[in-house]
């Protein structure tokens, strides 16, 4: 039986207001974010506007600003905020025993 969740590492390895990337062999890279209050979120690492690397953006309370054109993306819904329109896929995340787990099916959906 294949597990529903993938263990991608310790929460302690992800700095507050920081991000890391997770390559997906044959698929699209995932960005893992940690907010100031310690919440962890995961999105496909592509802004819906011009596919900018969201992992290189500035993390706010519950959003990230794309480094290319300053689009703000909700870490909760993947939706562009403000006047901008677009959406990036959200990957489910849960924390178990200090470990970050992401949804296997959603993480692998971007595979070719």
């Amino acid at each position: 039986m294949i597990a529903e969740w993938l263990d991608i590492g310790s929460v302690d390895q992800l700095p507050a207001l920081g991000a890391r990337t997770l390559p997906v062999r044959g698929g699209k890279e995932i960005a893992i974010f940690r907010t100031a209050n310690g919440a962890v979120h995961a999105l496909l690492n592509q802004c819906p506007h011009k596919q900018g690397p969201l992992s290189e953006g500035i993390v706010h309370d519950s959003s990230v600003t794309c480094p290319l054109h300053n689009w703000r993306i909700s870490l909760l819904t993947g939706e562009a905020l403000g006047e901008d329109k677009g959406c990036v896929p959200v990957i489910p995340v849960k924390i178990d025993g200090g470990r970050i787990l992401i949804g296997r099916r959603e993480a692998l959906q971007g595979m070719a």
Side-chain angles (χ1 to χ4, degrees):
M1 178 175 189
I2 296 176
E4 292 181 45
W5 297 92
L6 296 171
D7 183 331
I8 60 167
S10 171
V11 172
D12 295 336
Q13 294 175 333
L14 189 60
L17 296 176
R20 296 285 187 261
T21 58
L22 177 67
V24 177
R25 188 183 320 196
K28 296 183 180 178
E29 188 173 66
I30 296 170
I32 314 296
F33 302 92
R34 188 172 182 191
T35 64
N37 68 1
V40 178
H41 303 277
L43 302 173
L44 196 65
N45 193 27
Q46 289 184 337
C47 178
H49 176 223
K50 299 266 184 182
Q51 289 68 53
L54 293 176
S55 62
E56 296 176 19
I58 297 170
V59 178
H60 306 280
D61 290 333
S62 61
S63 66
V64 61
T65 300
C66 178
L68 294 185
H69 299 100
N70 292 322
W71 276 39
R72 284 185 42 240
I73 308 298
S74 169
L75 294 173
L76 304 172
T77 66
E79 293 285 335
L81 302 172
E83 298 290 318
D84 301 317
K85 301 291 180 213
C87 187
V88 61
V90 174
I91 311 298
V93 173
K94 71 179 182 177
I95 306 300
D96 186 11
R99 306 288 297 174
I100 302 170
L101 307 174
I102 62 172
R104 175 185 293 276
R105 180 174 46 90
E106 294 85 357
L108 299 178
Q109 280 181 344
M111 294 182 65

